[in-house]
Structures are given as C-alpha cells and as structure tokens.
Amino acid sequence: NAGVMQNPRHLVRRRGQEARLRCSPMKGHSHVYWYRQLPEEGLKFMVYLQKENIIDESGMPKERFSAEFPKEGPSILRIQQVVRGDSAAYFCASSRPAGTYNEQFFGPGTRLTVL
Amino acid sequence: GENVEQHPSTLSVQEGDSAVIKCTYSDSASNYFPWYKQELGKRPQLIIDIRSNVGEKKDQRIAVTLNKTAKHFSLHITETQPEDSAVYFCAASIRGGSYIPTFGRGTSLIVHP
C-alpha cells in the first residue's frame, strides 16, 4: 500500500509564474489536507478537501491560491502569480472518511522556491 | 478556534537522558492528540497519539500523558538516542467529522552522543 504521494518534490518558479502541486492520497483515503511549512515553523493548515468538495479553506489566502480534488486523479494546489513569500514546503496529508479518529498521513512534501 | 502552545522550542539533551515536550490546548472539545516527528527535510510522521478517554499511553521509549482538566498533554522520551534528534509537533483535534487538527510550532530536539 503506497503512502501519500506528492510531486514534484522540488519546484522552482520565477515571480509571476504559476505553481501546480499534486497530491495522491493513500488508498482508501478520501480526505486530503494541504499545509504550508516555512523554515523553522510549524505546519499551517491551508485547505481540507474531499472528492469534488472543498470542506474548509479557511487557511488559504483568498487570492492567487486554489485547490481541487477531482473525482479522478490527484488533488492539486495551484498558486498563481507566485511571489517570493510563497517559497515554502507544502505538505499534503490524507485520512480516512469521517467517523474515525483523524489520523493523518503526510506526503514527502513539495519544496517550492520562487526566484 | 483551537490554539495549541508547545514548549520548549528547542531541547538539547545528552544521549541516555530523558526529554519532555509539553503542549497546551484551548478547546475543551478536542479529544484526539497526535504527536509527529519530522526529521530534517522529511515528512512529518505519526509516532504516538492519545485519545481523551485515557490519561497515559506508552510505546517502548515513548509515552504521552494527557490532563483534560488542565488542557495539557506531554511527550516523554526516555533513554534518548542520537536518532531521536528531530522536530516534534503536537496537535489537537476532534474525533471524526471534518475538524482540522491544530499543530503546535514544534520542538527541535537535539540528542548529543
């Protein structure tokens, strides 16, 4: 059973470009969470999704950031017109459906560098 | 919303000593408290968790305690080893539903050989 997969592992973008980060949850997991981690800081929640639904996006900036989790395929976090402050590690995590304890399993992260 | 405070931010110990990391939370409805270990450049990994119906849980050299009245929980590592060096994060959440876990800022544990 493969764990949570993220790609790319490293992404370099110039200011103004778009960054697209992908996350495939563990088999049997239908909940996906995206977090941002700045150097020497904790995990900051961004968005929580189920298949075809955004459940909670309270941690995601209103502008330039969007997320989706289509019926087929991975979840995608999209950052438009990136700025240097977007440089960070972005982790996704997945968990089982509601009704169980929310144990989350993390992917290896995507390290975004904005030049 | 939930607020989780974690202390200390850095902890330096000698190999073989014990290490204790403490967290407090604000939402009395929280009932699930996982701990994650993150080695440099790697993903956070769940190492132990505790649920509000128990006060203590142990797994080999790692133990967690929970005081619901005081709203704090702690991670205890005994007989520390250099490979325990990592950043440890506590979190608090509510069982089931869509409640989002709130993470502490992390503790950087350094175990000197």
Side-chain angles (χ1 to χ4, degrees):
Chain A
N1 185 13
V4 179
M5 309 291 286
Q6 284 187 255
N7 68 81
R9 296 291 306 277
H10 299 273
L11 183 60
V12 179
R13 285 288 179 265
R14 297 192 179 279
R15 281 179 295 170
Q17 291 184 320
E18 178 179 285
R20 191 172 295 200
L21 289 61
R22 286 175 288 276
C23 170
S24 297
M26 284 178 69
K27 187 176 180 181
H29 287 191
S30 57
H31 295 200
V32 166
Y33 310 76
W34 284 94
Y35 296 88
R36 177 162 62 180
Q37 186 177 41
L38 293 169
E40 299 185 6
E41 289 197 13
L43 295 156
K44 298 296 185 184
F45 165 74
M46 299 182 71
V47 61
Y48 164 46
L49 310 102
Q50 296 177 19
K51 286 282 187 182
E52 300 183 282
N53 277 310
I54 295 175
I55 306 303
D56 187 326
E57 56 182 347
S58 59
M60 196 158 67
K62 295 276 188 286
E63 297 180 354
R64 301 189 299 109
F65 286 73
S66 63
E68 62 177 7
F69 190 13
K71 187 176 180 180
E72 299 292 335
S75 174
I76 296 175
L77 178 68
R78 186 180 290 109
I79 311 172
Q80 296 177 304
Q81 299 171 17
V82 296
V83 300
R84 289 220 173 105
D86 295 333
S87 295
Y90 291 83
F91 289 94
C92 82
S94 70
S95 70
R96 291 176 181 166
T100 62
Y101 285 101
N102 301 70
E103 181 178 342
Q104 298 186 359
F105 295 84
F106 283 83
T110 293
R111 279 152 185 85
L112 173 65
T113 302
V114 179
L115 302 178
Chain B
E2 177 65 277
N3 182 46
V4 176
E5 299 284 341
Q6 183 172 348
H7 299 280
S9 57
T10 305
L11 180 57
S12 184
V13 300
Q14 288 296 129
E15 183 177 1
D17 288 350
S18 294
V20 180
I21 302 170
K22 299 180 180 181
C23 289
T24 60
Y25 61 100
S26 60
D27 189 344
S28 56
S30 290
N31 59 6
Y32 176 61
F33 307 91
W35 286 87
Y36 288 84
K37 175 183 179 182
Q38 186 178 27
E39 296 177 7
L40 188 63
K42 298 195 175 177
R43 75 184 77 189
Q45 290 195 299
L46 181 71
I47 55 172
I48 195 167
D49 56 18
I50 190 166
R51 301 164 188 179
S52 61
N53 57 344
V54 298
E56 184 174 358
K57 181 176 178 181
K58 192 171 182 180
D59 182 3
Q60 299 183 335
R61 296 187 296 108
I62 296 174
V64 289
T65 58
L66 171 65
N67 183 329
K68 283 205 70 179
T69 303
K71 295 207 278 286
H72 67 71
F73 56 113
S74 301
L75 177 72
H76 304 252
I77 306 174
T78 58
E79 300 172 25
T80 54
Q81 301 168 3
E83 50 265 39
D84 293 331
S85 297
V87 179
Y88 292 81
F89 294 97
C90 64
S93 70
I94 295 176
R95 173 187 179 177
S98 60
Y99 199 82
I100 309 302
T102 301
F103 286 84
R105 289 179 61 90
T107 295
S108 178
L109 173 64
I110 303 166
V111 180
H112 299 281

